[in-house]
Amino acid sequence: MEKRYGAPGPQNGLEKIGTKKWAVFYGFGKDSEDAETGYNWYQTYDHRPSLDEIKADIVAVIKAESDLKLRYGYKWNGMTVEYSEALKTDLTGMLVAIQGGMMQFPVEVNLGSQSDGTPQVYPFSSLEELGAVAAGIAAHRAQVSKEEWAAIQALGDMEEYSEIQ
């Protein structure tokens, strides 16, 4: 699915747009909070899609958006923390090692890359600070997962997509 800009709000549904062409519209989003209009997700088909096909395409969009939000949606101390399983594992290992006396502060951690690709390194100087970012990442992951599940459940029986508009 692709973004189609200029939408005033959600326009969920299936629409016949040609003799052998159908379009599905789903959801609504904005690239910035102050934008007057936003976008809907849009997909065209050369056949009338089944509800299962439509749902699979919409779920794929929900999952892709969740992955993007998980990876780049957490801010800590004015920085975007780029989520990865490696970072999560490293932070957990550091917390255990510091508490066990095998590591000492300060500890420098790469929290992700800046837009130009430069590593965003932060020097942690306390257990509280390191624990705060680790707990924040865990809470962020839980929240993004909860939102993803809610969006998928909200699709329900796909009633909006069963009738051609």
Side-chain angles (χ1 to χ4, degrees), residues 138-161:
H140 174 66
R141 180 180 174 94
Q143 182 62 36
V144 169
S145 293
K146 184 177 178 181
E147 290 169 7
E148 177 183 311
W149 300 332
I152 291 170
Q153 287 180 330
L155 295 174
D157 62 6
M158 303 289 291
E159 189 175 310
E160 297 164 305
Y161 301 94

Side-chain angles (χ1 to χ4, degrees), residues 37-98:
T37 60
Y39 59 85
N40 302 120
W41 289 99
Y42 176 78
Q43 175 75 41
T44 59
Y45 301 85
D46 61 1
H47 60 282
R48 182 180 176 148
S50 68
L51 289 179
D52 287 341
E53 187 176 4
I54 294 168
K55 188 170 187 174
D57 289 341
I58 292 172
V59 168
V61 165
I62 292 169
K63 288 184 174 290
E65 287 293 295
S66 292
D67 289 347
L68 188 63
K69 186 174 184 178
L70 176 62
R71 186 158 182 121
Y72 299 107
Y74 178 59
K75 305 259 189 254
W76 178 80
N77 208 22
M79 295 181 283
T80 297
V81 177
E82 189 176 338
Y83 178 89
S84 69
E85 287 298 316
L87 176 61
K88 187 175 91 168
T89 301
D90 289 349
L91 289 173
T92 302
M94 286 179 206
L95 286 167
V96 170
I98 288 168

Side-chain angles (χ1 to χ4, degrees), residues 82-130:
E82 189 176 338
Y83 178 89
S84 69
E85 287 298 316
L87 176 61
K88 187 175 91 168
T89 301
D90 289 349
L91 289 173
T92 302
M94 286 179 206
L95 286 167
V96 170
I98 288 168
Q99 289 174 334
M102 295 176 275
M103 283 181 82
Q104 295 180 10
F105 287 106
V107 174
E108 288 190 343
V109 177
N110 181 3
L111 297 178
S113 300
Q114 297 177 20
S115 57
D116 65 358
T118 310
Q120 191 166 255
V121 177
Y122 185 84
F124 288 92
S125 57
S126 72
L127 189 60
E128 292 76 23
E129 200 175 38
L130 189 62

